[in-house]
Amino acid sequence: MLGKLVKFIILSRVSKGGLALLIMFTAIAVVSDVGLYEAEALGHMHFYPLYYSLGYLTAYYVLFALLGGMTITKADLDYLFTLPIDRKLLSVALFVSNLILFAMFMAFIAVFSFNAYLFFVSPLLGVSLVSLNVLLRDVKILYKALTAVAIALWFVSPIWGFPFSPTSAAIGYFPTSLAVTVAYTALLTYLALKKLENYEQLVVRSVTEAPAVEKYVTTFGPSTPLRTFLKLKMTYLPFAGRMGSFGSAQARYFARAIRMRTMLIVFVALAVAYYLVFRDLLVSSPDVAISGVSIAIAYATVFGYTLGVSNLMIERAWLTVPYLGSRFLKYLVLSVWVQVAVLLLPIAVANFALSLYNPLFLYAGLSMLVDAPLISAFIAYLQAAVLPMQLKDELTPLNAEMRARSAVAVFVFMVPFYLEFFGTFTQSLLIILGTGLGMAVVLALLTQDSTSRKVINRMTEMGYV
């Protein structure tokens, strides 16, 4: 019975096509990682520094520890929780299915750390992450943040040679790393299982509680609709508002949206730290420019990608579709471009300042200022055309499923993403500006009234409007 429940829960979240794609991409990436690791070990070439690999994996682990959880969908509330099944068995089935999915997902995430040994411990980290989410479910956000900081320091400690960390495999302590990870995961899993008996009641209570909502009223008069869209985007960050609601049963913790002015302060602080760190590093080690530029472009563009997708997934302005018609997508795309450009401006300025030490940073700054915002806007449009998702009810979790078509946005995203890198490292203004111009032309064509109407009709069929 447990096995059938686990299979049912997994396939209700990930289609067979999506599962096959995830496994295939992970396998290809693992083979590539092993090849890269062997080439570096033999001294043939040097790729990514240790602090990138550890920082990358730690960042994702901490992010999911704070925002993740055992995923609960509307279908679970409507169907799964109404079945005459032993409640403890149901909780265990939900737990096990999430362990499997997160083990696979963390393995997929880990391949982009470009360290083969980190990949081999990543499935256990995925299992520990689900257990950690269960244990932190009712903990105050301050204590969750302190726990996340402690774990982050532990995970990056191999940078200073500390071997007793789950990530110390990256510096050659694979047996020690594996033993520590097994012990850490086993302890968290044991404690989480003890807490699962009343999990269904906790879930139902969480998703039916009225969340704290940040009230902000904007109107379409006397201002123009476009100015209203831009005003809304310059006030709140879209993905912060209900990330907890559709990702887990922790709606009440993350229902308060983050204001743009707060995020701008954060980005300015990051830009200053980025400039100071790499200014000093460039003096002592000029080769660090390649790593710095790689990290800056990757994180900035992936952040823009996430923001682009979330602008549709959690966009409350969908209520204006009947009024605006095809203009809805035009205004959405333009406002996403403006929002991402404003947020990335401090990082771009920091790169322009660093270009005094190495011209490579000039092209990185241009890439983040020109290409990344346009990529974000394009991804928002593509998400509408391929797989729109929308929270129409504050109290109802999203009925989301990972399908093969979900990979379309990722595939398309990778083309301009790699063009960014190629244009930067070849120091080609033609490629960087050409990529931006090309994206702008494509968006202009796709947001024509006739095309936009077809996309909105498709969104209607998929339940968005």
Side-chain angles (χ1 to χ4, degrees):
M1 184 64 177
L2 178 61
K4 291 182 179 179
L5 271 176
V6 169
K7 180 181 178 181
F8 171 79
I9 293 169
I10 290 176
L11 292 180
S12 70
R13 287 151 171 76
V14 185
S15 69
K16 293 180 179 179
L19 196 61
L21 277 177
L22 181 62
I23 294 171
M24 182 183 72
F25 291 153
T26 303
I28 292 173
V30 169
V31 172
S32 301
D33 267 13
V34 171
L36 291 174
Y37 188 83
E38 290 299 323
E40 187 168 349
L42 294 173
H44 296 317
M45 55 186 71
H46 181 71
F47 292 98
Y48 291 87
L50 178 65
Y51 58 80
Y52 164 79
S53 299
L54 295 182
Y56 168 85
L57 194 62
T58 300
Y60 272 103
Y61 190 92
V62 169
L63 178 66
F64 291 130
L66 288 173
L67 301 180
M70 284 174 54
T71 305
I72 306 299
T73 69
K74 188 176 184 297
D76 294 336
L77 298 179
D78 293 342
Y79 176 71
L80 191 62
F81 287 173
T82 63
L83 295 177
I85 301 173
D86 178 71
R87 302 294 93 177
K88 185 174 182 180
L89 179 65
L90 181 56
S91 295
V92 172
L94 280 166
F95 182 68
V96 172
S97 61
N98 276 271
L99 292 183
I100 295 171
L101 289 173
F102 262 83
M104 295 176 61
F105 185 66
M106 281 302 294
F108 178 71
I109 290 293
V111 297
F112 298 102
S113 67
F114 302 111
N115 187 291
Y117 283 139
L118 284 181
F119 167 79
F120 293 128
V121 298
S122 61
L124 284 172
L125 292 179
V127 172
S128 70
L129 189 56
V130 176
S131 303
L132 183 62
N133 289 146
V134 173
L135 294 174
L136 295 179
R137 207 200 66 83
D138 286 323
V139 176
K140 291 183 179 180
I141 187 61
L142 175 61
Y143 299 129
K144 289 185 73 170
L146 291 174
T147 302
V149 169
I151 291 173
L153 290 173
W154 186 35
F155 274 36
V156 299
S157 61
I159 291 177
W160 302 285
F162 185 70
F164 301 103
S165 168
T167 55
S168 63
I171 59 173
Y173 293 97
F174 182 71
T176 304
S177 169
L178 186 60
V180 170
T181 308
V182 168
Y184 171 66
T185 303
L187 176 62
L188 291 183
T189 303
Y190 170 75
L191 295 174
L193 283 171
K194 292 185 67 175
K195 194 177 178 179
L196 280 176
E197 290 190 13
N198 298 318
Y199 193 75
E200 181 200 2
Q201 296 177 21
L202 296 174
V203 167
V204 174
R205 186 185 68 192
S206 294
V207 298
T208 55
E209 282 183 350
V213 177
E214 183 81 20
K215 291 184 178 180
Y216 175 75
V217 178
T218 185
T219 65
F220 284 98
S223 176
T224 63
L226 176 57
R227 288 178 61 186
T228 302
F229 259 79
L230 292 173
K231 186 178 180 181
L232 183 63
K233 295 302 179 189
M234 291 298 102
T235 305
Y236 290 111
L237 199 65
F239 70 76
R242 281 171 289 291
M243 180 173 284
S245 297
F246 75 81
S248 67
Q250 305 177 53
R252 64 185 184 278
Y253 290 143
F254 298 100
R256 192 173 296 277
I258 297 177
R259 287 182 176 270
M260 273 287 288
R261 64 169 177 256
T262 303
M263 290 304 297
L264 271 175
I265 293 172
V266 171
F267 270 75
V268 169
L270 286 174
V272 171
Y274 173 79
Y275 171 78
L276 293 176
V277 168
F278 279 99
R279 183 195 62 182
D280 293 340
L281 287 174
L282 285 170
V283 173
S284 59
S285 178
D287 293 338
V288 81
I290 295 176
S291 299
V293 167
S294 298
I295 294 170
I297 293 178
Y299 276 95
T301 311
V302 171
F303 170 80
Y305 171 90
T306 305
L307 206 58
V309 171
S310 68
N311 264 281
L312 199 78
M313 290 171 65
I314 328 172
E315 178 54 74
R316 305 311 296 173
W318 64 269
L319 290 165
T320 66
V321 174
Y323 167 61
L324 294 175
S326 60
R327 289 183 296 167
F328 169 82
L329 286 176
K330 287 183 181 180
Y331 296 160
L332 178 65
V333 164
L334 184 58
S335 61
V336 170
W337 171 68
V338 172
Q339 185 181 56
V340 176
V342 168
L343 285 173
L344 293 183
L345 179 60
I347 308 293
V349 170
N351 276 278
F352 293 149
L354 288 169
S355 66
L356 297 174
Y357 301 92
N358 190 311
L360 196 60
F361 285 95
L362 171 64
Y363 298 91
L366 286 172
S367 177
M368 281 185 278
L369 199 58
V370 175
D371 295 341
L374 286 166
I375 293 172
S376 305
F378 178 67
I379 289 300
Y381 182 94
L382 190 63
Q383 181 74 13
V386 177
L387 194 67
M389 293 184 287
Q390 174 64 38
L391 282 173
K392 293 189 176 181
D393 191 330
E394 295 283 356
L395 304 180
T396 303
L398 186 69
N399 199 16
E401 181 183 7
M402 180 184 171
R403 293 184 175 274
R405 67 169 178 256
S406 304
V408 171
V410 179
F411 276 127
V412 175
F413 162 75
M414 294 307 292
V415 175
F417 181 60
Y418 281 123
L419 282 174
E420 273 190 293
F421 270 96
F422 186 69
T424 299
F425 288 111
T426 58
Q427 300 186 27
S428 171
L429 280 176
L430 180 63
I431 294 176
I432 292 175
L433 298 180
T435 299
L437 179 61
M439 296 293 294
V441 171
V442 169
L443 280 172
L445 294 174
L446 291 177
T447 51
Q448 293 184 92
D449 289 344
S450 58
T451 308
S452 294
R453 279 195 294 269
K454 291 179 182 178
V455 174
I456 290 176
N457 288 340
R458 176 63 174 162
M459 292 164 65
T460 306
E461 292 172 5
M462 300 180 74
Y464 180 89
V465 182

